[in-house]
Amino acid sequence: MLRAVPVKPDVYWVGSIDWNERNFHGYTTERGSTYNAYLILDEKITLIDTSKPGFEDELLERISDVIDPSTIDYIISNHVEMDHSGAIPSVLAKAPNATIITSDPKGAQGLKAHYGDDLPLMPVKTGDTLPIGKRTLTFVHTPMVHWPDNMVTYSPYDKILFSNDAFGQHFASSKHFDDEVGLPEVLAQAKKYYANIVMPYSRNVQKALLAVADLDIDIIAPAHGVIWRSHVDEIIANYQLWSSLEPDEYAIVVYDSMWHSTEAMALQIAEAFMECGIPMRLFDLKVNHISDIMTEVLSAKYIAVGSPTLNMTYMPTVAGFLCYMRGLAPKGRIGIPFGSYGWAPAGPNQVASVLEGCGFEMPFGTLTHQWTEDEDGLDELHKAIVEGLSSLH
Ligand code: FEO
């Protein structure tokens, strides 16, 4: 028997746990994920969000732990994406009298597009309220956190913000609350989630933070990962920080190499950062996943990216990383393109072109070495980076 987990009196977590999810749209989820749904028992029985297709039975079994699913009056769909709406048809089949609450108009349009025009929809706007008994729920649209339809639901009675994707983590755990897992672990997962999913919408995140700033919140109940009940202030402060896109004085050096020449350059650049006292991490794209590197991009002011020339362009690993990073749209960084070549510097030039397209400043230009570089050449590279960094401060 699968159990519902009490969150507050008459409020339960009834979600599903995807222990074996390892790739979420190209993002490595080494700890799996959860698709959280919440059940409120009041005069009107209200389900907030559902689960991903394939997890319908788990959701319904957890709901059945506390009520007969046929008694559900409202299904609140905070977000159309299928990891949260995918089980709506199965829930509706069990609860044929339920009404679906969704954002007006994007949520209604999205749900119709996915599940048909004859859904029993009640679209709501920001500020609309839904009395369900002793509780009256309110809704706030949070467009582009993460799709145009997103909204959050607030229960003033419980002081719970049901935040959907915002404040989530791809993190499957036998524990359901932040204080049961430990803040460093949860924050690390929340940061990876922010960097790989939410970062391009940072401006919208800031608007959403303003929109909920006056709410009295005891608990943030996201649609992925553990529930924030002891560290609400910390996760909100981190979202304020991350959405500012303000980097730290921190560097990453990311590269691939064929015959170790670009790698030798990467190591010299890394040494130069260390000599200047700037924290740094180095990532060989052969052995590091781009989604883990993106977590570091969220904090890094200096982003050095190296590729040799291969077939008159850059290496596919480097192209993949740059394509992914450009889509996630970090701002205000310093780019340092570099790489070795045999007879044409097409690889490093291509890297430079993408970094420039990201809007990064590039005060070091494009650093290239033909064939392999001797020790003097590498020393010159090292010196150029150290001097360049000194002149920036
Ligand atoms: Fe977790 Fe945008 O869906």
Side-chain angles (χ1 to χ4, degrees), residues 282-361:
L282 181 137
F283 297 95
D284 181 346
L285 282 161
K286 281 195 266 304
V287 294
N288 290 280
H289 195 271
I290 55 175
S291 61
D292 291 317
I293 301 173
M294 272 316 298
T295 310
E296 305 307 313
V297 169
L298 183 57
S299 305
K301 178 174 177 183
Y302 306 94
I303 298 175
V305 182
S307 175
T309 298
L310 173 69
N311 301 327
M312 288 307 287
T313 186
Y314 46 8
M315 291 187 75
T317 46
V318 179
F321 166 67
L322 288 173
C323 172
Y324 190 64
M325 181 175 75
R326 183 171 52 190
L328 288 164
K331 307 273 185 243
R333 270 52 177 175
I334 290 177
I336 306 175
F338 67 96
S340 64
Y341 65 97
W343 51 97
N349 285 346
Q350 188 73 41
V351 172
S353 167
V354 178
L355 293 179
E356 193 173 20
C358 290
F360 293 179
E361 283 181 57

Side-chain angles (χ1 to χ4, degrees), residues 87-107:
I88 284 179
S90 297
V91 176
L92 268 186
K94 295 278 185 191
N97 297 319
T99 299
I100 302 172
I101 316 296
T102 186
S103 65
D104 181 10
K106 297 293 183 186

Side-chain angles (χ1 to χ4, degrees), residues 24-25 33-35 79-85 145-147 149-150 164-166 170 193 197 223-224:
F24 202 95
H25 309 168
S33 193
T34 69
Y35 313 112
H79 183 20
V80 170
E81 194 165 11
M82 290 75 83
D83 47 341
H84 310 297
S85 71
V145 190
H146 150 234
W147 278 9
D149 64 281
N150 274 82
N164 197 266
D165 277 342
H170 281 313
Y193 183 94
I197 293 181
H224 297 289

Side-chain angles (χ1 to χ4, degrees), residues 233-253:
D233 290 346
E234 286 92 334
I235 187 59
I236 289 176
N238 275 283
Y239 258 58
Q240 280 163 341
L241 173 69
W242 297 333
S243 63
S244 75
L245 296 180
E246 281 294 322
D248 297 333
E249 191 70 4
Y250 169 53
I252 58 170
V253 181

Side-chain angles (χ1 to χ4, degrees), residues 32-206:
S33 193
T34 69
Y35 313 112
N36 297 338
Y38 300 93
L39 189 67
I40 303 178
L41 307 187
D42 208 322
E43 287 172 29
K44 298 289 185 185
I45 306 293
T46 303
L47 177 67
I48 300 180
D49 291 318
T50 66
S51 270
K52 188 177 168 180
F55 291 86
E56 296 89 345
D57 291 347
E58 180 170 346
L59 171 72
L60 287 166
E61 193 168 336
R62 291 194 197 278
I63 293 170
S64 301
D65 186 36
V66 280
I67 51 130
D68 177 347
S70 69
T71 62
I72 293 172
D73 296 291
Y74 294 118
I75 303 167
I76 295 176
S77 176
N78 279 323
H79 183 20
V80 170
E81 194 165 11
M82 290 75 83
D83 47 341
H84 310 297
S85 71
I88 284 179
S90 297
V91 176
L92 268 186
K94 295 278 185 191
N97 297 319
T99 299
I100 302 172
I101 316 296
T102 186
S103 65
D104 181 10
K106 297 293 183 186
Q109 291 166 356
L111 289 177
K112 284 181 186 173
H114 283 83
Y115 307 110
D117 285 335
D118 54 355
L119 292 174
L121 297 177
M122 182 192 294
V124 292
K125 295 196 180 293
T126 289
D128 283 354
T129 57
L130 180 72
I132 60 170
K134 56 191 174 191
R135 295 169 177 81
T136 296
L137 305 179
T138 66
F139 307 100
V140 179
H141 285 201
T142 53
M144 298 315 297
V145 190
H146 150 234
W147 278 9
D149 64 281
N150 274 82
M151 68 176 192
V152 298
T153 299
Y154 177 61
S155 171
Y157 180 89
D158 305 294
K159 299 184 183 177
I160 300 178
L161 180 69
F162 299 95
S163 63
N164 197 266
D165 277 342
F167 309 114
Q169 331 96 50
H170 281 313
F171 184 65
S173 168
S174 58
K175 305 296 186 187
H176 296 279
F177 296 94
D178 54 355
D179 46 64
E180 295 176 321
V181 172
L183 186 59
E185 171 82 68
V186 188
L187 268 185
Q189 294 293 343
K191 184 177 180 183
K192 182 172 183 182
Y193 183 94
Y194 191 94
N196 284 275
I197 293 181
V198 187
M199 180 151 60
Y201 314 114
S202 289
R203 201 173 291 173
N204 304 78
V205 169
Q206 297 212 316

